[in-house]
Amino acid sequence: MHRPFTADWAAAFRTAIESDADYRSAAAKWTWPVAFVMPATPELGYGEATAVELQLDRGRCHDARLRNPDELSAPIVLSAPYAVWKSVVRGELDPIAGVVGGRIAVRGSIATLMFHAAAATALLACARRIATAFPDEP
C-alpha cells in the first residue's frame, strides 16, 4: 500500500500509467508534463504542500516525482485539498467535473485540458489502480 503524495506513490502512479493501454490510446496527442498539488495537511502528516509531477508524452510517462510545488516546471498544474484528491483517486469525483465545479484549481491552459479531457480522465483512472493507504483511514 502506498500513502498518497509520497515518492512511492508517485512511482506506483508511473507504473500504472505505463501499463495502461486505455491511457496510452486516450493520451496519444497529449505532450505536456502535468503536476498535482496538495496543500499542507499537517493533521494527516503532510507538514508542507507537496506535488507529484508527471513527465507525460503521447501516452507514456517518462518520469513521476515528488516535488516542491514552488519548483514545478509542468505547464499544467492541478491543485486541490487532500479530501478532493482522495475523492478523485477513489473514483468518487470525476477530475473534469472537479475542475468545472471549482474543486480543483488549474494553473495553465484550461482549454488544453478540456480539449484532452479523455486523456485527463484516463490518467486519473490510472491513479485508482494504485493500492493507496489513505492516512485518515484505519
Side-chain angles (χ1 to χ4, degrees), residues 86-104:
K86 181 178 175 181
S87 293
V88 169
V89 169
R90 287 193 144 168
E92 300 164 353
L93 175 64
D94 176 80
I96 300 303
V99 167
V100 172
R103 295 181 69 193
I104 300 172

Side-chain angles (χ1 to χ4, degrees), residues 71-129:
E71 298 171 356
L72 296 172
S73 61
I76 296 178
V77 178
L78 304 169
S79 301
Y82 169 86
V84 172
W85 287 129
K86 181 178 175 181
S87 293
V88 169
V89 169
R90 287 193 144 168
E92 300 164 353
L93 175 64
D94 176 80
I96 300 303
V99 167
V100 172
R103 295 181 69 193
I104 300 172
V106 178
R107 185 176 77 213
S109 175
I110 291 179
T112 297
L113 188 63
M114 293 304 170
F115 184 76
H116 295 280
T121 299
L123 176 65
L124 288 166
C126 292
R128 287 194 276 287
R129 293 197 351 253

Side-chain angles (χ1 to χ4, degrees), residues 30-35 53-56 73-77:
W30 182 269
T31 59
W32 306 274
V34 66
E53 187 169 45
L54 305 173
Q55 298 300 319
L56 303 171
S73 61
I76 296 178
V77 178

